Amino acid sequence: MEKTISNQRKASNILKRFGLLLVLVLMVIVMSLVSDVFLTTGNIINVLRQVSINGILAVGMTFVILTGGIDLSVGSVVAVTSVIAGNLLQKGYSLPVTLGASIGAALLFGVFSGVLIAYAGLPPFIATLAAQTIGRGFALVYSDGRPYMIAHDTYKAIGKGSWIGIPVPIWIMAVVILIAAVVLRYTTFGRHVYAFGGNRNASKLSGLNIRTTEMATYIISSFCAALAGTILSARISSGQPTAGQGYELDAIAAVAIGGTSMSGGIGHLSGTILGFIIIGVLSNSLTLLNVSSFYQDIVKGFIIIFAVLMDLRTKRSGN
Amino acid sequence: MAEECILQTKGISKSFFGVNVLNEIDFSIRRGEVHALMGENGAGKSTLMKIIMGIYHADAGEILFEGKPVVIRETKNALDLGISMIHQELNPIPEMTVAENVFLGREPHVGRLPIVDFKKLNQMTQDLLEKYEMADRISPQMHMSSLSIAQIQMMEIIKAVSYNSKVIIMDEPTSSLSESETKQLFKTIDLLRASGVGVIYISHRMAEVFELSDRISVLRDGSLIETIDRAHATTDHIIATMVGRALSSGYPRNHAVPGEVILEAKGVSGAGFEDVSFQVSAGEILGFAGLVGAGRSETMRAIVGYDRMKSGEIYVDGRRAAVRHPSDALKLGIVMASEDRKSLGLILCRDIKENISIQNERRYSRFGFMNHRQEREQCEGIAHEMSVKMNGIADIAGNLSGGNQQKVVLAKCLLTHPKIMILDEPTRGIDVGAKAEIYKKMVELAEGGMAIIMISSEMPELIGMSDRILAMSGGRVRAEFDNRERQTSQAEILRAALKGVE
Ligand SMILES: Nc1ncnc2c1ncn2[C@@H]1O[C@H](COP(=O)(O)OP(=O)(O)OP(=O)(O)O)[C@@H](O)[C@H]1O
Ligand SMILES: [Mg+2]
């Protein structure tokens, strides 16, 4: 008896994520019918490389949103990372020093938001909005508004190179996903993130250090943004102060499409992965279909609504 | 017969995830009667009521209102028909005032403008509070977030009454009220009954049910076993029908000889309590009596480091202890099961296992990594030990019945194997059978050397279980009673609990 119930439970869980998968499968079927290139290895790798930056950001964002927060600063942190890296490489610093400084600066932004939110009690929306404008402003002041050309070959390989036929950014994304999955599922910290998002008072009374947990998620998100910024600047061989504008929205969209509750406590990394792949496949498809990028944004908005509605429906029927 | 029934259910069935929760329930409520609904935790009482209110939808069966079949799709339909409900799990909007919560969505307007007439709103609420004699406990302009659970409960009562309904459902309305507030509620119920309202009264407290009700219905495992006139019912009969077997009544005796003092509080003060001092020894059950707002929960929350303590000292095993955070308390072996399971006890959107394990992760994690197998085994073990009624530990806590949620709270505290356990209203919402088990468990633990502090608003329970009783009022300890003989009189305790209260 108990067995059958838990099986039913499992079935309904699969059903919950089934909706999203269905959206993705539908898109793939339609696209493979109308386009010859879509299902080629080259294009698939292309899609994965294109989603890698948003994918990495979305993984970090998942942690934050699971606690019931939000991180609007990631786009600016991408820019901060890339201008610092660009500048230091131009000045001839070594790769480790450069990465240490650019990623370190990004982490400081995470600490900044985290302290404001977890210790000073600012709402995440406000604190990270402030971090967003401060970060953007910093990147512009630091670079005087001009991009830094990057000539360092090893650094560029982070964005352009590949290993056994697969581009480096995809490898980085895969490693990030793997680590995040392990952290969320197998560590006590992962449990704390869910617990905190579900009920912070009960978590505190149970002896969890809720402040460190909350702060850590913003540092994780900033770290992911630093990786994304490194990949981006390496790929375009330049450190741009205007890089990453609006990236936070795509990351949030991926998490939302993935079914993570915006009020925290409920959600899965697998949903986020489906979320950013759906967004990626969508842009790729529209490009293959020669839709202008202006229209792409409109279509993207509607697809987000559609995907989340599908997800809601299957969730309800699962109950 | 059918005419005098205001509300009737016929053949109502309901299942969740393929598990039957209600089987063909025929239930009725007459004009001007108090109909008690009893049954063990998870028997389906709240579910039946939620179906009547349109929160859940029955898989089969129909509802008749004043003889005519009605379709209740959402709560609004029920309210429009004249059915209102006080929920077991309270749902106030914390940012609002009492008055705003009571008349939520029905606020009086200034003329025909879309502007709320706050003066009138507060006056209307004040009138209700005065009519039902609660004005001395809450006032219309208090913020919900500043109220205790009992005060929130009173707000919910006023709210339910304010709809002028023909049927009022009360799902364990007294579970967090103390004696005097309960009396107040009973007066309210008498007024309602006299004016022809039908009251459905769900409670695990036998005495209340016998004092109030005209008829009693018993649910067991989702079936309505019987409906009986109160005049023909006996406690033993009802209990036997509820649990399907006879139960020994009374309280088990704690035979432990009190050992060394384990916990001592010296002059602790904080928000809501002043200069509280007490000691508790190994093997001792220390009871805290007091009215709502006496500062008992506040004191304990500060002792476990949840709230800030302004001054005072705590000694554990004779050594000065610095408890700044509940994690410090946990390390010292002090845990607290809060009375407020919804906001402090449980993470409702997560499953039973995670709820139990967050407080106990040290037991099955190394270097921050969880051992899932150990976690599952231990959580499953303690959940079964506490006889939580569930399909498995992967059940979402929020889907459990109220009493079963309470058992999960106790389970997670117990698994920490504390030296000192603070239980704030531990039997709140728990059925008779499970109550007896919890009492047994408490005695077992005390005899095993644990020090237990129990806050309770149920006088008989307090007197039946405690070795010593401290009475608090107005944030101060007013009296101490040696209760080893279980002889302290309720009147004596009450007198102390009323001291300093105007
Ligand atoms: N939304 C839900 N999803 C799944 N199961 C549910 C849901 N609501 C209730 N149940 C299950 O239905 C059963 C009956 O629950 P109900 O809340 O009606 O019990 P109850 O008689 O009110 O108990 P208590 O005295 O503890 O309040 C329980 O086993 C509970 O786990
Ligand atoms: Mg109930």
Side-chain angles (χ1 to χ4, degrees):
Chain A
M1 160 103 179
E2 229 164 70
K3 205 55 197 205
T4 61
I5 289 163
S6 78
N7 281 345
Q8 275 171 7
R9 201 49 69 83
K10 261 185 210 137
S12 86
N13 267 336
I14 291 167
L15 207 74
K16 274 183 195 168
R17 266 169 269 174
F18 193 62
L20 276 185
L21 210 55
L22 203 70
V23 172
L24 184 59
V25 169
L26 268 176
M27 285 166 69
V28 169
I29 290 175
V30 171
M31 275 315 290
S32 56
L33 289 180
V34 297
S35 160
D36 302 334
V37 244
F38 183 74
L39 268 189
T40 57
T41 323
N43 190 51
I44 291 173
I45 287 187
N46 191 24
V47 170
L48 285 178
R49 204 193 54 215
Q50 275 166 1
V51 300
S52 60
I53 287 180
N54 187 34
I56 291 169
L57 291 176
V59 168
M61 191 67 76
T62 305
F63 280 84
V64 170
I65 292 182
L66 277 176
T67 66
I70 196 145
D71 188 352
L72 300 176
S73 71
V74 291
S76 299
V77 174
V78 163
V80 168
T81 319
S82 57
V83 290
I84 292 181
N87 180 30
L88 295 186
L89 289 174
Q90 262 190 7
K91 290 201 174 128
Y93 284 96
S94 71
L95 195 60
V97 172
T98 304
L99 287 178
S102 63
I103 294 177
L107 292 183
L108 282 182
F109 272 87
V111 172
F112 177 72
S113 304
V115 167
L116 287 180
I117 294 161
Y119 291 88
L122 246 58
F125 188 92
I126 303 297
T128 60
L129 188 64
Q132 181 194 65
T133 63
I134 293 171
R136 184 66 61 193
F138 172 83
L140 287 164
V141 170
Y142 181 86
S143 64
D144 205 13
R146 282 188 299 269
Y148 297 99
M149 291 324 238
I150 294 175
H152 195 289
D153 283 331
T154 323
Y155 188 86
K156 286 201 291 195
I158 298 173
K160 293 180 176 173
S162 46
W163 184 52
I164 50 174
I166 294 175
V168 175
I170 299 180
W171 286 112
I172 298 179
M173 172 175 74
V175 171
V176 167
I177 289 174
L178 196 75
I179 294 176
V182 168
V183 167
L184 279 179
R185 183 161 163 69
Y186 292 102
T187 67
T188 52
F189 172 74
R191 280 298 170 74
H192 297 178
V193 170
Y194 280 105
F196 177 93
N199 184 342
R200 61 166 65 196
N201 295 335
S203 303
K204 179 179 173 188
L205 187 60
S206 299
L208 302 195
N209 197 333
I210 56 173
R211 288 186 165 155
T212 5
T213 304
E214 187 173 31
M215 180 151 139
T217 61
Y218 289 90
I219 297 176
I220 289 172
S221 176
S222 291
F223 179 71
C224 289
L227 292 181
T230 307
I231 293 172
L232 181 67
S233 56
R235 192 154 93 199
I236 59 178
S237 306
S238 103
Q240 306 253 12
T242 52
Q245 228 143 19
Y247 278 21
E248 60 279 354
L249 298 181
D250 271 354
I252 294 166
V255 179
I257 291 175
T260 296
S261 155
M262 285 290 139
S263 50
I266 307 171
H268 295 276
L269 197 61
S270 54
T272 299
I273 296 170
L274 275 174
F276 67 72
I277 290 183
I278 286 176
I279 294 180
V281 168
L282 185 72
S283 325
N284 178 259
S285 310
L286 294 175
T287 310
L288 287 181
L289 295 174
N290 282 324
V291 178
S292 104
S293 68
F294 301 151
Y295 285 106
Q296 286 197 15
D297 283 343
I298 297 176
V299 176
K300 195 154 79 185
F302 280 107
I303 292 280
I304 289 174
I305 294 171
F306 176 71
V308 175
L309 278 181
M310 281 284 280
D311 193 41
L312 278 180
R313 287 189 77 123
T314 44
K315 261 182 197 160
R316 256 186 236 131
S317 67
N319 196 321
Chain B
M1 167 92 198
E3 293 82 30
E4 59 175 295
C5 283
I6 321 174
L7 180 75
Q8 247 180 312
T9 72
K10 280 200 173 151
I12 295 277
S13 296
K14 173 79 186 166
S15 59
F16 289 108
F17 302 108
V19 182
N20 249 344
V21 171
L22 292 173
N23 302 312
E24 302 184 15
I25 305 290
D26 297 329
F27 178 81
S28 67
I29 174 86
R30 299 172 186 158
R31 226 173 281 286
E33 87 163 337
V34 176
H35 192 153
L37 185 57
M38 305 202 68
E40 287 185 292
N41 295 134
K45 305 178 296 291
S46 300
T47 305
L48 179 62
M49 295 304 122
K50 284 179 186 164
I51 288 174
I52 293 177
M53 288 306 289
I55 297 166
Y56 294 149
H57 299 143
D59 300 334
E62 58 174 353
I63 299 175
L64 305 181
F65 192 78
E66 297 183 324
K68 286 185 283 291
V70 287
V71 180
I72 301 177
R73 274 198 207 87
E74 46 179 5
T75 311
K76 190 172 175 308
N77 301 147
L79 291 171
D80 289 346
L81 284 171
I83 312 170
S84 58
M85 174 161 173
I86 303 169
H87 286 273
Q88 182 176 12
E89 306 301 330
L90 307 170
N91 280 308
I93 301 175
E95 290 80 22
M96 289 190 165
T97 65
V98 169
E100 286 167 322
N101 261 290
V102 169
F103 288 100
L104 190 64
R106 304 176 290 150
E107 300 86 353
H109 287 201
V110 180
R112 309 183 112 199
L113 299 172
I115 298 169
V116 176
D117 185 345
F118 281 103
K119 215 169 137 208
K120 193 160 165 215
L121 178 75
N122 288 332
Q123 193 52 50
M124 282 158 62
T125 311
Q126 184 66 28
D127 291 347
L128 279 172
L129 288 172
E130 271 164 20
K131 178 169 173 198
Y132 295 106
E133 300 178 28
M134 296 182 194
D136 54 334
R137 297 279 160 70
I138 43 177
S139 66
Q141 303 200 45
M142 282 177 157
H143 263 268
M144 293 311 295
S145 53
S146 69
L147 301 189
S148 67
I149 299 199
Q151 289 170 314
I152 295 172
Q153 188 88 59
M154 293 169 127
M155 186 286 290
E156 295 281 355
I157 293 167
I158 287 295
K159 182 174 180 174
V161 170
S162 73
Y163 285 95
N164 293 319
S165 305
K166 294 175 183 164
V167 174
I168 298 185
I169 300 167
M170 304 190 175
D171 197 350
E172 302 195 29
T174 55
S175 61
S176 52
L177 298 184
S178 67
E179 221 102 331
S180 65
E181 290 123 6
T182 302
K183 290 239 164 61
Q184 211 60 61
L185 174 67
F186 287 6
K187 271 192 215 158
T188 306
I189 292 177
D190 279 334
L191 280 175
L192 292 171
R193 169 163 39 197
S195 61
V197 175
V199 177
I200 302 175
Y201 190 85
I202 299 178
S203 174
H204 291 295
R205 298 189 184 167
M206 212 53 79
E208 287 179 2
V209 166
F210 274 84
E211 183 178 341
L212 271 180
S213 62
D214 302 299
R215 285 193 298 164
I216 303 173
S217 287
V218 178
L219 271 180
R220 186 169 80 218
D221 291 334
S223 300
L224 197 105
I225 306 292
E226 73 173 352
T227 299
I228 185 174
D229 281 341
R230 197 253 332 250
H232 302 140
T234 64
T235 313
D236 288 343
H237 172 75
I238 297 283
I239 291 179
T241 324
M242 260 167 64
V243 294
R245 66 196 144 88
L247 273 181
S248 64
S249 55
Y251 298 91
R253 240 352 234 281
N254 175 13
H255 294 290
V257 182
E260 306 261 298
V261 170
I262 296 196
L263 174 72
E264 177 169 16
K266 270 192 191 160
V268 297
S269 304
F273 56 99
E274 269 296 315
D275 194 22
V276 175
S277 300
F278 65 86
Q279 298 183 335
V280 58
S281 309
E284 188 183 32
I285 301 178
L286 173 64
F288 271 82
L291 302 181
V292 167
R296 298 169 297 171
S297 305
E298 287 80 355
T299 309
M300 294 308 155
R301 279 211 307 264
I303 284 179
V304 297
Y306 183 84
D307 288 338
R308 241 174 56 82
M309 196 182 283
K310 275 202 302 258
S311 60
E313 290 157 15
I314 292 177
Y315 295 83
V316 176
D317 289 329
R319 270 190 302 277
R320 176 86 192 267
V323 182
R324 288 193 199 83
H325 188 273
S327 60
D328 299 333
L330 202 59
K331 278 181 210 133
L332 290 164
I334 314 173
V335 289
M336 172 172 183
S338 167
E339 62 172 332
D340 193 349
R341 60 177 168 249
K342 193 169 171 181
S343 76
L344 287 176
L346 291 177
I347 300 160
L348 292 175
C349 65
R350 305 305 303 175
D351 63 20
I352 299 175
K353 179 186 66 185
E354 287 177 37
N355 268 288
I356 295 177
S357 77
I358 51 161
Q359 198 158 5
N360 294 286
E361 58 193 23
R362 233 160 294 183
R363 310 176 63 78
Y364 33 66
S365 66
R366 284 186 72 188
F367 309 119
F369 281 86
M370 316 272 303
N371 181 331
H372 283 236
R373 192 180 50 81
Q374 270 182 22
E375 178 193 25
R376 201 180 49 244
E377 280 171 11
Q378 295 191 12
C379 293
E380 212 149 49
I382 194 79
H384 280 136
E385 195 179 324
M386 293 306 296
S387 49
V388 177
K389 190 181 171 221
M390 57 183 180
N391 302 317
I393 50 171
D395 282 2
I396 300 299
N399 287 346
L400 292 176
S401 79
N404 281 302
Q405 290 180 6
Q406 181 67 22
K407 291 183 201 168
V408 174
V409 173
L410 294 177
K412 75 175 202 175
C413 290
L414 266 185
L415 191 59
T416 66
H417 296 304
K419 284 195 297 191
I420 302 151
M421 186 149 79
I422 302 172
L423 302 172
D424 196 352
E425 307 285 357
T427 61
R428 179 174 168 226
I430 279 190
D431 67 50
V432 273
K435 235 180 209 179
E437 278 165 43
I438 286 174
Y439 295 148
K440 219 172 77 195
K441 188 98 217 166
M442 284 171 65
V443 165
E444 233 175 78
L445 294 168
E447 287 175 348
M450 193 187 289
I452 297 177
I453 295 174
M454 174 172 74
I455 298 176
S456 174
S457 299
E458 257 186 272
M459 240 14 140
E461 165 178 290
L462 208 57
I463 296 170
M465 290 301 298
S466 319
D467 298 320
R468 215 153 35 92
I469 297 174
L470 295 185
M472 283 183 73
S473 81
R476 288 171 183 277
V477 176
R478 303 289 177 173
E480 177 172 341
F481 304 93
D482 183 343
N483 190 43
R484 256 171 302 180
E485 303 306 319
R486 306 291 187 261
Q487 297 287 350
T488 317
S489 82
Q490 291 199 21
E492 252 183 300
I493 298 176
L494 205 59
R495 217 173 300 128
L498 282 168
K499 229 183 256 172
V501 180
E502 306 81 60

